[in-house]
Amino acid sequence: MVAPTIEKYSENALPPFTPMPWSLKEIRAAIPRKYFVRNTRKGLAYFARDILMATMAWLLATTIDPYFKQPAAQDFLTPLGSELARWVSCWWFQGLIFTGIWVIGHECGHGAFSNSKIINDSLGFVTHTLLWTPYFSWKISHHRHHSNHASMERDEVYIPKTRADLGIPDGDLIQEIGYEEIFGDTPIYTLCMLIRQQLLAFPAYLPNSILFTQGQSRAVIISNVGIAAMVWAVCHACSTYGTANVIKYYGIPWLEVTHWFIMITYLHHTDPILPHYRGKEWNFQRGAAATIDRNFLGWQGCFFLHDVARYHVIHHFFPKMPFYHGREATQHLKAFIGDHYAYSDKPAFQALWENYNKCQFVENTGSRFQ
């Protein structure tokens, strides 16, 4: 397979950038209050829809193997190919549905699902635990990411490396500093590293980790107990129904969840046009604007993933705003902040490949940069 070619990158081709001047209060005043209202019943309706779709997908999946074991099906043209195609289609939609359920837990973690903390944490814990995410641990670290996004000193997600981190000498010309030699990995190596990031980049959470304070250790332990219960449940299912069946009906769709939310998160926060800040140049609203909305998977991303990728900028400004108000609220945000709003309609996998190759490092010095 021939890897897609990457256009030669030049910072001179980037649009000029000026940090936004408004306060968060001014930006919030531009968004109608009705879009901040959380409706628990509406959120539960979306959750029920996702559970119903997951159940239907599972029931349909249970018909694939029995169908192709029938004598009539074995005489069908390339039955193995047809069976594989059905499983791949099933896994694709199961993965999207599972990711939508994970997004519901994400809403709970922000307090955007309901006015009730008990409902938020109960539902968030169940949905995330079932998908191997330690809910309370993730909630704590994710809150710090939102509070410090695009800060070179304090952010914890996709912080760009500097020249010094990669051992790249100072210099302006590509020919002088030898980018081609430094980043000249073969396309297959780059592809393998990208796949590793997309499938194996989820962090482990331990109670004594530097990510957490002593007061948060109890929540971390509860999260880890939930994950331990999932370990037992999966092992029990493997011994009861067979490892192959567990992998087919649960393992592969779960792996897709890991891929989708890592890919979505990476593309939200990584693009040549997005700024990063050091020191006093950073503030919350500038960090919130240093994200990008994307037309992620078209209608499938909007429907199955609850618009989480399409309207992410507004989410960074106001994390407690329910996802179902994202579309309308984004229109008001765009009208107010203008060119500071970032959007890309580039196909998701093309953007992933290009950004992974282009966004390699930032300068060692400077208070703001792209």
Side-chain angles (χ1 to χ4, degrees):
M1 183 179 71
V2 178
T5 58
I6 303 296
E7 297 177 6
K8 191 172 290 292
Y9 174 74
S10 172
E11 290 192 358
N12 295 328
L14 295 176
F17 173 75
T18 303
M20 64 164 55
W22 306 286
S23 69
L24 185 62
K25 183 178 180 180
E26 291 173 315
I27 297 171
R28 185 184 178 97
I31 313 295
R33 291 183 179 181
K34 63 181 179 179
Y35 297 130
F36 294 92
V37 176
R38 291 165 288 185
N39 186 325
T40 303
R41 289 185 178 181
K42 190 169 187 176
L44 287 172
Y46 277 104
F47 176 62
R49 185 198 73 177
D50 288 348
I51 295 299
L52 177 62
M53 289 193 299
T55 303
M56 293 175 61
W58 175 76
L59 290 173
L60 288 173
T62 61
T63 68
I64 295 176
D65 286 344
Y67 173 81
F68 282 94
K69 289 179 181 178
Q70 297 179 33
Q74 294 181 6
D75 295 333
F76 190 70
L77 179 64
T78 61
L80 179 61
S82 298
E83 183 177 11
L84 180 61
R86 292 187 183 212
W87 272 113
V88 169
S89 298
C90 183
W91 289 329
W92 172 270
F93 287 105
Q94 279 183 311
L96 289 174
I97 294 167
F98 281 12
T99 306
I101 294 173
W102 190 93
V103 170
I104 294 294
H106 170 269
E107 288 284 295
C108 293
H110 281 291
F113 186 85
S114 171
N115 291 322
S116 168
K117 187 176 185 299
I118 293 176
I119 293 176
N120 283 327
D121 285 344
S122 299
L123 185 59
F125 177 75
V126 170
T127 54
H128 273 198
T129 299
L130 290 174
L131 294 169
W132 291 80
T133 302
Y135 171 73
F136 292 105
S137 308
W138 164 85
K139 177 182 174 180
I140 293 167
S141 63
H142 191 63
H143 173 75
R144 281 205 299 272
H145 156 64
H146 268 264
S147 299
N148 300 288
H149 178 248
S151 167
M152 288 292 293
E153 296 87 359
R154 297 186 300 277
D155 197 3
E156 298 177 355
V157 177
Y158 299 117
I159 307 167
K161 295 183 181 297
T162 64
R163 284 181 184 267
D165 291 333
L166 298 174
I168 301 173
D170 292 334
D172 295 326
L173 298 178
I174 292 178
Q175 291 83 353
E176 289 180 359
I177 64 175
Y179 286 105
E180 294 295 336
E181 179 179 350
I182 294 171
F183 295 122
D185 296 320
T186 62
I188 188 63
Y189 175 81
T190 302
L191 181 62
C192 289
M193 293 299 292
L194 181 57
I195 293 173
R196 180 190 67 82
Q197 179 212 57
Q198 291 298 301
L199 297 181
L200 302 174
F202 192 71
Y205 294 109
L206 299 174
N208 60 349
S209 169
I210 60 172
L211 294 174
F212 309 109
T213 65
Q214 285 187 343
Q216 295 168 336
S217 60
R218 183 168 176 264
V220 177
I221 291 172
I222 293 173
S223 298
N224 290 349
V225 168
I227 297 301
M230 281 299 298
V231 172
W232 176 86
V234 170
C235 290
H236 179 70
C238 288
S239 63
T240 304
Y241 304 106
T243 301
N245 283 326
V246 173
I247 291 173
K248 283 194 297 186
Y249 291 105
Y250 176 78
I252 293 178
W254 169 80
L255 203 60
E256 286 186 65
V257 176
T258 303
H259 156 68
W260 286 128
F261 75 70
I262 291 175
M263 180 177 176
I264 291 168
T265 303
Y266 178 77
L267 289 179
H268 279 159
H269 306 97
T270 308
D271 194 275
I273 69 171
L274 296 180
H276 284 79
Y277 302 91
R278 286 192 179 103
K280 295 181 179 180
E281 282 293 328
W282 180 90
N283 60 34
F284 179 85
Q285 58 272 26
R286 288 180 178 179
T291 54
I292 186 168
D293 283 347
R294 296 185 183 275
N295 183 18
F296 194 87
L297 302 183
W299 70 269
Q300 295 181 56
C302 291
F303 180 75
F304 292 108
L305 307 183
H306 304 299
D307 279 328
V308 68
R310 180 61 181 84
Y311 303 108
H312 186 72
V313 176
I314 191 71
H315 169 69
H316 255 275
F317 276 98
F318 309 109
K320 286 190 175 182
M321 177 182 289
F323 68 87
Y324 42 78
H325 292 321
R327 183 189 303 269
E328 295 83 359
T330 295
Q331 301 307 313
H332 293 276
L333 179 70
K334 286 171 57 179
F336 186 82
I337 68 174
D339 291 340
H340 292 281
Y341 170 80
Y343 171 77
S344 173
D345 60 359
K346 184 175 292 185
F349 285 96
Q350 178 184 347
L352 178 65
W353 177 261
E354 292 184 1
N355 290 352
Y356 190 79
N357 281 271
K358 289 181 178 179
C359 299
Q360 296 285 351
F361 69 90
V362 296
E363 300 297 335
N364 296 324
T365 60
S367 57
R368 62 175 184 258
F369 37 79
Q370 290 168 284

